[in-house]
Amino acid sequence: AEDEVGNRDVATGQLTIVNGGVPQAEIVNRAAEWSSSVVPLGGTLTFTCTVRNIGNVGIRTKGPEPGAEYSTSENFNSKEFYEEPGIFRIGLDYEGNSSGRVYPFRWQLGSSDELTVIEGERYLMPGQTTMVTGHLKIIDEPVMVMPYYWLGLIHEQVQIVEDRVEPAPISIGF
């Protein structure tokens, strides 16, 4: 290393990378199931999808756990599951989202009891498949009567691995 005034230093040593690799996941068949194509205002829209770790390293994830319910006036920050670089989650977004944040509703890849804990972090391990279900209680009138809703597989602060999965028009009765 050398600084701006010309000081130099050299350090040598052995470096061993453990559990290295690129995390890879998919929403199986890019498919999801929606509970209904019609939801009354105040009702709940539910999705289910299957996620698989298709890589050779564990995929780090965090809550809320599958099955958690959001309302349209909440997001992952209001539930205190803040965005974290490198974690994977399933996200739900919709047409007319004006929150300023893509995929404001996010869920952990699998329940905590089926994930592997390594140094306090939860991982979906290579080859492992899990089902993710999420609920959204629609309490705010959407900007249109029949907005599209869709899922995404998010590698937070890295990339949206799969975007706009299974877009479906959902009629909101109000």
Side-chain angles (χ1 to χ4, degrees), residues 59-152:
I59 293 173
R60 192 166 53 98
T61 188
K62 75 172 186 180
E65 289 203 27
E69 181 178 276
Y70 285 90
S71 75
T72 49
S73 64
E74 297 176 306
N75 62 46
F76 58 87
N77 284 321
S78 65
K79 288 195 172 284
E80 298 184 6
F81 288 103
Y82 307 107
E83 190 168 82
E84 187 174 316
I87 67 165
F88 281 75
R89 291 195 273 192
I90 288 293
L92 171 64
D93 208 343
Y94 61 98
E95 192 174 24
N97 172 7
S98 62
S99 71
R101 182 175 295 280
V102 297
Y103 295 103
F105 318 109
R106 298 181 185 182
W107 290 265
Q108 177 174 287
L109 303 184
S111 63
S112 292
D113 62 346
E114 67 183 321
L115 298 173
T116 300
V117 177
I118 302 171
E119 296 180 7
E121 304 277 1
R122 295 182 183 108
Y123 289 85
L124 184 69
M125 298 309 286
Q128 189 175 359
T129 300
T130 187
M131 188 175 298
V132 180
T133 298
H135 308 283
L136 177 62
K137 186 170 185 160
I138 302 171
I139 61 172
D140 300 306
E141 285 185 22
V143 295
M144 56 190 66
V145 175
M146 191 178 285
Y148 276 79
Y149 289 79
W150 59 84
L151 299 180

Side-chain angles (χ1 to χ4, degrees), residues 22-23 32 48 65 89 112 133 154 156 166:
V22 177
T48 302
E65 289 203 27
R89 291 195 273 192
S112 292
T133 298
I154 304 158
E156 292 188 353
E166 203 74 49

Side-chain angles (χ1 to χ4, degrees), residues 6-76:
N7 295 311
R8 294 181 188 186
D9 197 6
V10 175
T12 61
Q14 187 172 8
L15 174 66
T16 303
I17 298 174
V18 178
N19 296 326
V22 177
Q24 297 177 314
E26 69 176 357
I27 296 174
V28 176
N29 299 323
R30 285 191 53 85
E33 291 183 20
W34 299 98
S35 59
S36 177
S37 61
V38 179
V39 177
L41 191 62
T44 301
L45 176 64
T46 299
F47 75 85
T48 302
C49 70
T50 302
V51 178
R52 178 175 37 233
N53 181 337
I54 58 173
N56 57 7
V57 297
I59 293 173
R60 192 166 53 98
T61 188
K62 75 172 186 180
E65 289 203 27
E69 181 178 276
Y70 285 90
S71 75
T72 49
S73 64
E74 297 176 306
N75 62 46
F76 58 87

